[in-house]
Amino acid sequence: MTLKIHIDDSAAPYEQIRAQISEQARSGALPVGHRLPTVRGLAESLGLAANTVAKAYRALETDGVIETRGRNGTLIAAAGSAAEREAASAAQAYAEKVRRLGLTQEDAAAAVRDALRAAYGA
């Protein structure tokens, strides 16, 4: 696992960790079942506070990318299908809400495109 933290980046260090691990898990660079370093171990190797890494791990666990098994460590979860189900559920909730608000499909889709551009920096 290779992580690079850019202090001059506008994204917070915990968000950089979360995004990089998530991308490596999605791409297969970190296979399902791969054991991640301990919070303290990763924090030490990156020169960050343990709380920063712990915050990233909590976000990744919430996203279904990793799972913590107590003494057995933190592992990459089989998140592909879980992540897709969660995204579909969020999309459904969004579609229902914008319909109730009276937005057109075009306006709703434009809002999604803007949000994705902001989230992904494209």
Side-chain angles (χ1 to χ4, degrees):
M1 176 174 78
T2 304
L3 299 176
K4 294 180 183 167
I5 304 303
H6 303 282
I7 301 304
D8 58 341
D9 194 324
S10 63
Y14 89 89
E15 177 57 27
Q16 292 179 50
I17 294 168
R18 188 209 58 75
Q20 290 177 46
I21 291 175
S22 183
E23 176 55 35
Q24 290 179 34
R26 188 173 22 264
S27 72
L30 292 175
V32 171
H34 177 84
R35 184 180 225 160
L36 295 176
T38 63
V39 167
R40 285 184 185 169
L42 183 57
E44 200 172 288
S45 71
L46 294 174
L48 297 171
N51 286 340
T52 301
V53 175
K55 186 174 182 178
Y57 276 22
R58 282 191 304 273
L60 287 162
E61 192 158 22
T62 298
D63 292 345
V65 175
I66 65 172
E67 56 187 53
T68 302
R69 296 183 180 168
R71 294 182 152 239
N72 293 323
T74 302
L75 310 169
I76 298 296
S81 60
E84 290 167 4
R85 281 193 308 273
E86 189 170 338
S89 176
Q92 181 65 38
Y94 174 75
E96 291 170 4
K97 180 153 191 161
V98 296
R99 184 167 178 250
R100 281 193 311 271
L101 293 171
L103 270 68
T104 65
Q105 286 184 4
E106 293 78 23
D107 290 341
V112 169
R113 283 191 297 275
D114 290 344
L116 289 170
R117 271 191 225 105
Y120 287 93

